[in-house]
Amino acid sequence: MKRIYTFGNGKAEGRADMKNLLGGKGANLAEMNLIGVPVPPGFTITTEVCTEYNEQGKDAIVALIKDDVEKAINHIEELTGNKFNDSENPLLVSVRSGARVSMPGMMDTVLNLGMNDHVVEALARKSGNPRFAWDSYRRFVQMYGDVVLGMKPKNKTDIDPFEEVMDGVKAEKGVKLDTELDVEDLKKLVKLFKAAVLNATGHDFPESAWDQLWGAICAVFDSWMNERAILYRRMNQIPEEWGTAVNVQAMVYGNMGETSATGVAFTRDAATGEDIFNGEYLINAQGEDVVAGVRTPQQITIEGSRRWAKLQGISEEVRASKYPSLEESMPECAKELIATQQKLEDHYKDMQDLEFTIQNGKLWLLQTRNGKRTGAAMVKIAMDMLRAGIIDEKTVLRRMEPQKLDELLHPVFDKAALQSAKTVAKGLPASPGAATGQIVFFADDAEAWAERKKKVIMVRMETSPEDLRGMTKAQGILTARGGMTSHAAVVARGMGKCCVSGAGEIEVDYKARTVTMGGKVFKEGDWISLDGSTGDVYEGLVSTVDAELSGDFAAIMNLADKYTNVFVRTNADTPRDASVARKFGARGIGLCRTEHMFFEGDRIKAMREMIIAKDETGRRIALAKLLPMQRSDFEGIFEAMDGYGVTIRLLDPPLHEFVPHQLATQKELAEEMGLTIEEVKSKCDSLEEFNPMLGHRGCRLGNTYPEITEMQARAIIEAALNVKARGIDVHPEIMVPLVGVVKELQMQADIINRTAQTVFAERGDTVPYKIGTMIEVPRAALVADQIATVADFFSFGTNDLTQMTFGYSRDDAPKFLKFYKELGIIKTDPFEVLDQEGVGQLVAMGTQKGRATKPELKVGICGEHGGEPSSVKFCAHLGMNYVSCSPFRVPIARVAAAQAAVEDAQ
Amino acid sequence: MKRIYTFGNGKAEGRADMKNLLGGKGANLAEMNLIGVPVPPGFTITTEVCTEYNEQGKDAIVALIKDDVEKAINHIEELTGNKFNDSENPLLVSVRSGARVSMPGMMDTVLNLGMNDHVVEALARKSGNPRFAWDSYRRFVQMYGDVVLGMKPKNKTDIDPFEEVMDGVKAEKGVKLDTELDVEDLKKLVKLFKAAVLNATGHDFPESAWDQLWGAICAVFDSWMNERAILYRRMNQIPEEWGTAVNVQAMVYGNMGETSATGVAFTRDAATGEDIFNGEYLINAQGEDVVAGVRTPQQITIEGSRRWAKLQGISEEVRASKYPSLEESMPECAKELIATQQKLEDHYKDMQDLEFTIQNGKLWLLQTRNGKRTGAAMVKIAMDMLRAGIIDEKTVLRRMEPQKLDELLHPVFDKAALQSAKTVAKGLPASPGAATGQIVFFADDAEAWAERKKKVIMVRMETSPEDLRGMTKAQGILTARGGMTSHAAVVARGMGKCCVSGAGEIEVDYKARTVTMGGKVFKEGDWISLDGSTGDVYEGLVSTVDAELSGDFAAIMNLADKYTNVFVRTNADTPRDASVARKFGARGIGLCRTEHMFFEGDRIKAMREMIIAKDETGRRIALAKLLPMQRSDFEGIFEAMDGYGVTIRLLDPPLHEFVPHQLATQKELAEEMGLTIEEVKSKCDSLEEFNPMLGHRGCRLGNTYPEITEMQARAIIEAALNVKARGIDVHPEIMVPLVGVVKELQMQADIINRTAQTVFAERGDTVPYKIGTMIEVPRAALVADQIATVADFFSFGTNDLTQMTFGYSRDDAPKFLKFYKELGIIKTDPFEVLDQEGVGQLVAMGTQKGRATKPELKVGICGEHGGEPSSVKFCAHLGMNYVSCSPFRVPIARVAAAQAAVEDAQ
């Protein structure tokens, strides 16, 4: 078993594809050597040694790898000509951890290891820069003390022994900045730091480079098992047995003087995706100085430098003299860097994020990795590389992070404006986009203000179906309660409207018409801005810019459709939503909720009349009023989806949601219906349920009041025949909600078929239709084989399925799910990301059992998960026919589905 | 393939064990022949022919079996010496359906088939009784018209054409009873009946005996597919392919004169189980006359006759002359009947229910079957037969209908008193037993009245934990809302207290302190009586008698324990309940709900203080007050269960259930805690949830407020150490509720283990304890393999598991489940009888996955299903270690579990 892999001088024992063994960092360091990129020589101790360490303990492992480590140090000594633990030509090294994936909580880095009182003198001599040498020494003692000896305070409020010493020395000298300390000060610091170490640990600071090295290696291994790392692994489901590698590398210095420098760079523009090499550097500096912000970093290329100066309002003269580009200040090094970045991008075939150091005019690469980028850059870079023949179509699709496409679909805040905006609250990013407007608290006001051309943001404790009309008119919605699948969140996403939900700290006072956020009281009419993609709430008006759907975006979509096995439908309740979704590529409607149609104008009156009616006759009279309205709704939707299937769900929510709860409205209803207020009140009260989610709803309504199903079936079939007569290609699919027992579906199907036959006979014309069911009650998945005997299609309603499988009410759960995430009990909100382990078993079981009965059964998903990439992939891998999601998530789902197909093909 | 099986004269082609082919009736008719019991000769057309009939249609089948039927009729002709369709010695037959199980909706019986205008004259001649002959004729036309020709009206309100004719003839003659009609009247009736047939069907009444026979045979087969039969099969899951047999048998007549008779008898007493042959008969009568109640039936034995006369206050002279026994009136026949009943019981080895007819002094048996009996008779007969060596122990157990044991456990109404009692309402039989008392509406009143030695019945819309103390003091509980698993029902069953729940028609007016039932207003203090075994509510005081647990009952229990593989625990929250259950044979506690302990006296105050507290410190102060109370509760329970395991569930219900909802109580609490009323009110309101069942409860509380779990764990461990010091053998098992994610359990287990170690260290003593979890959230069953890594035991909480698997709130579902049962969507209430098809899959999956991880995992059930026989058997078949149920159901569960073991052993 080989435990140590060396690299350096264009050679390496490892490779890029050995990430599991060498960790990500180690594998890339090896790979850069192999392709001729200058990397300081070093070696990697494998992740397997970490596992052995945890099993056998420190002493056993040190004994086991001692010879190999010494040989590997020897290897560095040979390549650098320096010697470890030597007072003439000392070799200093860095020690870094490196797991397969980067992990917070792990020991990160120790620099300058190998330093002691003799070595520092040699370094001062050789560099001709005693301040550099002593500064490196004091940094080393501090860093080693912090990360290896565990002296870093656990809490920010605790005293840091090194900072305390540093503050004392600076105060004594009367200076503020570290850079104001001279060599003598630094010598004093080293002495005092070492005393602090003795004080804290009871041991002298190790003088031997070997002792230092073993301490650091073991500290890396120990950090794999520290509390924070364990918690992180639990939350991210990273197996303990993966272990971490340890990378030991010769030090190089960017702070040795005016011919030394350090910097970071991207091979392309990470914001726009343009193929422009760009980056920043500082002369005579260390890596941390570039990010610290004390000095102004300079641009690497002349072109970049000039653009930067223009934006900053700096003249070309000042720029050239004070902030020259690397191309100007070190033309040779710049040339080599530009060649190297190209070589790395060509090799990795993706945009790279680089770290480099120039030591005395010699360029060294310290790290390369795939660079993070915006959604727009992700799309452009992938398509540019495809067109250049660098990557193939499947790779383009694999590279997409589908969720990031969202950035391309919604208006966004102007980045400049955001910098001066003040955050006053934070909630859940319930529905993406940027919105800005004046606060209103009630749906009526939202409508009235909007009519007067005002932009409004609706602020509510939570929303209910009665708020629907107001929500339509608002720019965005902010709620204090409710999670990612609360009424507000679901409806807003359906509308593609910005929404921040569950902003628990805000206090809404409906009576006073105020909301208190960030310690300030906002009144009705005050301006606020919401970022539905981050959950941020800003004070005042923050300006926005509209999103543009570029040609590359369309190209990605076409690619997705070329490879996918799953088509994407949309959840839409109105012709408008249906049209939007169709523009985004939806091929049909997977969920049209009919209940939303009952809230507008006279409809709610007829609906209430139906509910309050004393008997079937009374209900039929009211239903007859609703029939033409529903029919015309369906006609509009069928027209918008010409040529595609439209799945219409029958009435689902408990009737209680439709009746008035306020005395005034109840009185009104009583007068209209010629009843006493007591009668109306008592009927409304009798509909109250302890747990409405598990109550009299879904097909339980349709089976106890068959006349409701009859009316809806009639409206659907009549609408279909009407639009067919107008030349529309119509495919109605009638979906029965909340089925748990096959007979429930059978009885509904009987009513629908009977009604359809009646209408066909009346009209002398027919239209094909399907009858299917939601699989949303756990029992439905368990007996899916029986249910499939009646159903033409299944649509997994994973919102309710998640509620019932976990026993989480989506309205109540956010309260404890917040803690559950913090405690690491759950990794993701199961209402956002489908719980593949639990709920997913039922989805798989339902699909398999259903198809076992009826191989041609059409299977899809219409819960909110239908637009979440990992969930879409899960459904695609299961072999579903379609996924359905809110209009603005359609592109995301299309790409995720295509990725699943590419994965499956492998 | 043999399609027809003949029998008669001591020979038969069939046997008792051929029920599948011949139906129950046909198989028994054959068997009686084989053992030498006189049965009118006949034949059976097999159930397979019915299946062929449904596949191939009428014509094909008539052609197929024509020869065989003719041969079989020939066989009867030979044995009787009469000829079918003959006007000299006519053969008349009965035609009866006979499936494997008896089924409503099927064509039942046609008697006197073969009759026509010639045959009736021959019959009159031969019997010397023209009235008998013509009466038989008119009955035949009517019966044939009704059941074969389909003239029986579908609704009771429709006009019956035969009754219409009969009424006309009677009116014309000015008489009221059928018996007042003479031969001429009967002749006229036959003519008019036939005209009615022609009018209704368009065809003449068939004169040919053969036509009549084929009509009747096909009608039996057709009735297998009629709507009512199909619905019944669906509801009872009887496969369509079973089919029905047809039995054709020579007619015998009990109404041929004074030497003819008919009767029914039981080989033992069906009420008490005593080994006394008993039954009733009528001379010169048909079977239907015995049950019609027009004439007073006489007793078969002298002994029975004398006992009857005594009860009726009839002197021996009158009895002997007017109501002689069969032993006196027909001594020879009686002797043969007594010998025959003994032969039948000896043969079938069970109490038989017989039908017989005596025709001109010759005894014929028409039917024998196992007799229905009370719970007491069931136990006594089985044990008597065991002691007599007739049946073995396993057969005794198999014969038990466990639910019937219930009758033996509770006080019951005096049967005599019941006859004059007036039923005023009907609800669900939520908790068995009989109760009588004065109406009170509030828990406080129940307590106060009970203190004054009054017997009270609590009448409520529904009950809540706050009513608990009142319920303890009441004789019984009556609620308007809530199903079999409502709070009232569950708590009452736990207490073994009579409860009628969900009596939807009653109207409770708390303000007026009245309840309206059966159109009458009852005030506080009025007497009512409840039958918790039937759901009946009676006006006034109905006297009760106490149940006695006889020696036979104990013997049955011992037998059960000898064979069972599953031990039975009880659900008990108090030492009293625990003791009761132990008397009934409970071997430990499977569910001790700790929350019920928080409602008494000062406890609820401390509990509320804990909930209202602003931070952990405040909560800990309140919890410290609860600790000693909990500890002492546990000590009592541990003592009562000395030697057995006690499973204690940690706090489960949402906190909202504990806080005051009335302003007055909220004010009181505010004063006590030094808070403003607004603060208290706002805290109480903030705990409200949309769906509390799916909200912040169970281990979600224990994980967000770890200090609650800590207090409970401490109370349990301290109590265990305290009783151990007193010599008690204590086995605490701590159960974490509502786990759905393994980490939820892990975090609770960490707290419990930490607390236990602390207490052990404090006391210098230890006690063994287990940690387990409820499996009650569907997800828990799906990931049971993960959960078993932490749990020592699983207890299936099938109440909640049923709620979530079906998506039925147990508080709201009764509203539509009532319709669902009527519509045949569900067969049984899944909260009463475990849904093996759906929920059962999760129970099986959870058990198997759990044991796959940990083969020694202890698995049980503690939902209400733990006391329902079919559910207990399901659990036993799955290999569970125990079931747990309310104390009064323990004996039922013990027998059901033993039955499962006997079945498994076969």
Side-chain angles (χ1 to χ4, degrees), chain A residues 15-34:
Chain A
R15 284 189 318 275
D17 63 3
M18 292 167 77
K19 283 210 172 75
N20 291 357
L21 191 62
L22 304 180
K25 190 190 296 280
N28 273 337
L29 287 170
E31 189 77 7
M32 283 198 282
N33 269 286
L34 292 179

Side-chain angles (χ1 to χ4, degrees), chain A residues 526-593:
Chain A
D526 286 350
W527 284 82
I528 56 168
S529 302
L530 308 181
D531 189 332
S533 311
T534 62
D536 284 310
V537 182
Y538 300 102
E539 181 174 352
L541 192 160
V542 181
S543 56
T544 61
V545 290
D546 258 2
E548 268 177 47
L549 303 188
S550 72
D552 281 340
F553 179 84
I556 294 277
M557 289 300 124
N558 288 338
L559 270 191
D561 289 353
K562 179 171 170 187
Y563 286 93
T564 193
N565 296 320
V566 171
F567 61 93
V568 178
R569 291 185 158 192
T570 192
N571 300 348
D573 310 335
T574 64
R576 206 202 53 191
D577 287 355
S579 301
V580 169
R582 198 164 178 164
K583 250 185 281 170
F584 286 137
R587 294 161 70 182
I589 289 182
L591 176 62
C592 171
R593 304 175 198 85

Side-chain angles (χ1 to χ4, degrees), chain B residues 820-850:
Chain B
Y820 267 32
K821 267 205 246 178
E822 283 168 14
L823 292 169
I825 291 176
I826 55 166
K827 195 184 146 191
T828 51
D829 183 338
F831 292 110
E832 265 176 79
V833 179
L834 184 72
D835 162 49
Q836 296 179 20
E837 260 186 338
V839 180
Q841 278 190 54
L842 289 175
V843 175
M845 194 183 295
T847 305
Q848 284 145 14
K849 287 193 171 192

